Amino acid sequence: MPVPGDRARGRHRDAGGRRNSPTTYPPTSQETMSDAVMDCGGAPDRRSFRVTVALITRNRRESVLRTLDRLAALPERPPVIVVDNGSADATVAAVRAHPVGAHVLAVGHNTGALGRNLAVRHATTPYVAFSDDDSWWEPGALEAAADLLDAYPRLGLLAARTLVGPDGVDDPLNSALANSPLPPAPQLPGRPVLGFLACAAVVRRRAFLDAGGFHPVLFFGGEETLLAYDVAARGWGVSYVPSVTAHHHPEPGGRPGRRAVQRRNALLTVWLRRPLTVVLRHTVRLAAAAVRGERDAATALRGALARLPAVLENREPLPARVERSVRLLDRQST
C-alpha cells in the first residue's frame, strides 16, 4: 500500500501551479498561521477549528451573501475564506461587511478554480470544505466530515451527498458515486470513488497541496476528476460519504458555454493523465462529433488544442494502480 505523499512523480505542482521537488512538503497549518493572518488583514486566531470553508465568487453579490448567511448559521461556526475573482459589482465590500467575518482575498482578476487553491494555501485548519457562491453545508456536516478525516488518516478527499434546490433533490452524481465499481477499502469510510462535486467536498489540506490542487490547464468547469486522479496518485483516498450533506441552489438555466468547457476539460484530463491509446480514442471520438456538427464539440476540441503545449509540459500518466481503477469506471459508464 503506497504511503500518502510518497509517490515519486518526478516533479509535481503545488497548489499555486508551481513545480516542486517531490520531497518538498507544504508547511503545516501552524507554520502558515502568521502569513495567513498578515495576508488576510489580521484575522482572529482560529487554531481550535478543524475545518475552513473556502468559497470562490465572481459578480454574484446577492448569491454569495445568501451563502454566507447559511454558513454563519452553522453550529460549527467555521472560519470562511472568500476568494473574489475580479468582481465588478461591489461583492468585495459586501462580503467584508458580512457578519460571518470572512477572510476576503480580492485577487483582482478571474482565477477560475485556482481561487480555491489560493484559499487552501491561506487556510490554517487541517481540513478545508469547498462551497460555491450558491452552495452551503448542512448543519453538523462539517463536524461529521472532520471526525471522519480524523479517524481515517489516509482519507484525502471526502465527497459529500449533494441536494439540489429548495426541494432537496438528489444530484444525479450522488447515484453514480454510490454505485462506484471500485472495491471497498478498509482504510477508508464510505465508497471509494474518483469523482466529486467541487461545491460538496472536504479535503485534507496536506493531501490537496500534495496533489497540486486544481490544475491550471483546466481553469474551471469539470475540474474535479483531474484532482481526484491526482489525490489518488499521491496515495490518498477519495471516498463518497452520503451521511455528509451539502446543498446546492444553482440559478435556473445554467451558464452559457458550460457544456463545451466541460467537454474540453474532460479531454484535457485524458490528455494529461491517461495512456496514449486512451488519449487517441477520446480525441477521435470528440473530433468525430465535431465533424458531425454536434453542438459544442468543435468549440471543445478547439479549446483543447489551444492548450496542447501546456498539456505536453504537464503530462504525467497515472500510476498503474490508479489507471486500473479508472478503467473500472470507464467500463461502468459504457
Side-chain angles (χ1 to χ4, degrees):
M1 179 65 63
V3 177
D6 278 1
R7 182 191 172 207
R9 294 173 62 190
R11 294 168 64 83
H12 70 274
R13 293 169 292 103
D14 70 7
R18 294 178 291 274
R19 289 180 172 269
N20 286 335
S21 160
T23 58
T24 300
Y25 291 97
T28 66
S29 59
Q30 296 301 313
E31 290 170 336
T32 60
M33 174 67 73
S34 59
D35 289 341
V37 170
M38 182 188 307
D39 291 345
C40 293
D45 185 351
R46 304 228 187 195
R47 282 172 287 186
S48 62
F49 291 83
R50 291 186 291 170
V51 184
T52 295
V53 175
L55 188 157
I56 57 175
T57 188
R58 185 170 186 264
N59 289 329
R60 287 160 60 90
R61 179 179 178 273
E62 297 307 316
S63 182
V64 73
L65 291 178
R66 284 193 296 270
T67 292
L68 293 180
D69 288 342
R70 297 283 188 158
L71 296 178
L74 292 178
E76 297 96 330
R77 300 297 299 277
V80 178
I81 297 176
V82 176
V83 177
D84 182 79
N85 277 331
S87 294
D89 62 352
T91 291
V92 171
V95 171
R96 284 180 171 149
H98 193 280
V100 78
H103 306 178
V104 182
L105 302 175
V107 294
H109 61 282
N110 190 3
T111 66
L114 302 187
R116 300 191 190 106
N117 297 355
L118 180 63
V120 173
R121 287 168 63 88
H122 279 79
T124 61
T125 55
Y127 314 129
V128 179
F130 296 124
S131 285
D132 286 345
D133 53 21
D134 57 3
S135 71
W136 52 85
W137 292 89
E138 180 84 8
L142 299 181
E143 187 76 11
D147 288 344
L148 288 167
L149 286 156
D150 283 348
Y152 294 89
R154 187 171 161 255
L155 180 61
L157 188 152
L158 185 153
R161 180 187 182 198
T162 309
L163 300 181
V164 181
D167 295 330
V169 178
D170 273 280
D171 189 283
L173 185 62
N174 293 341
S175 177
L177 296 176
N179 293 298
S180 167
L182 304 185
Q187 307 92 345
L188 298 175
R191 192 78 183 177
V193 293
L194 284 175
F196 63 97
L197 282 180
C199 67
V202 185
V203 297
R204 187 180 303 274
R205 180 177 180 273
R206 183 189 174 199
F208 181 89
L209 295 174
D210 192 30
F214 289 101
H215 203 291
V217 172
L218 271 59
F219 189 70
F220 192 77
E223 67 274 14
E224 296 95 339
T225 298
L226 181 54
L227 177 61
Y229 287 176
D230 287 349
V231 168
R234 298 295 295 172
W236 300 97
V238 181
S239 289
Y240 173 60
V241 182
S243 59
V244 178
T245 303
H247 294 269
H248 186 205
H249 286 220
E251 293 182 356
R255 299 181 183 180
R258 186 171 182 82
R259 175 59 178 161
V261 170
Q262 289 176 326
R263 296 183 78 172
R264 179 199 75 192
N265 284 349
L267 183 60
L268 289 172
T269 298
V270 170
W271 286 1
L272 284 162
R273 297 291 181 262
R274 304 296 304 278
L276 291 178
T277 53
V278 180
V279 167
L280 179 61
R281 183 168 68 248
H282 282 258
T283 305
V284 168
R285 184 182 302 162
L286 184 59
V291 169
R292 291 194 303 269
E294 190 172 312
R295 183 179 180 181
D296 300 324
T299 301
L301 185 59
R302 285 195 300 270
L305 290 172
R307 290 160 175 79
L308 183 57
V311 168
L312 295 176
E313 181 182 354
N314 290 274
R315 179 172 159 78
E316 297 177 3
L318 295 169
R321 59 183 173 77
V322 180
E323 176 61 27
R324 286 193 295 270
S325 295
V326 177
R327 287 175 184 263
L328 281 176
L329 293 165
D330 285 348
R331 287 198 288 271
Q332 182 192 49
S333 62
T334 56

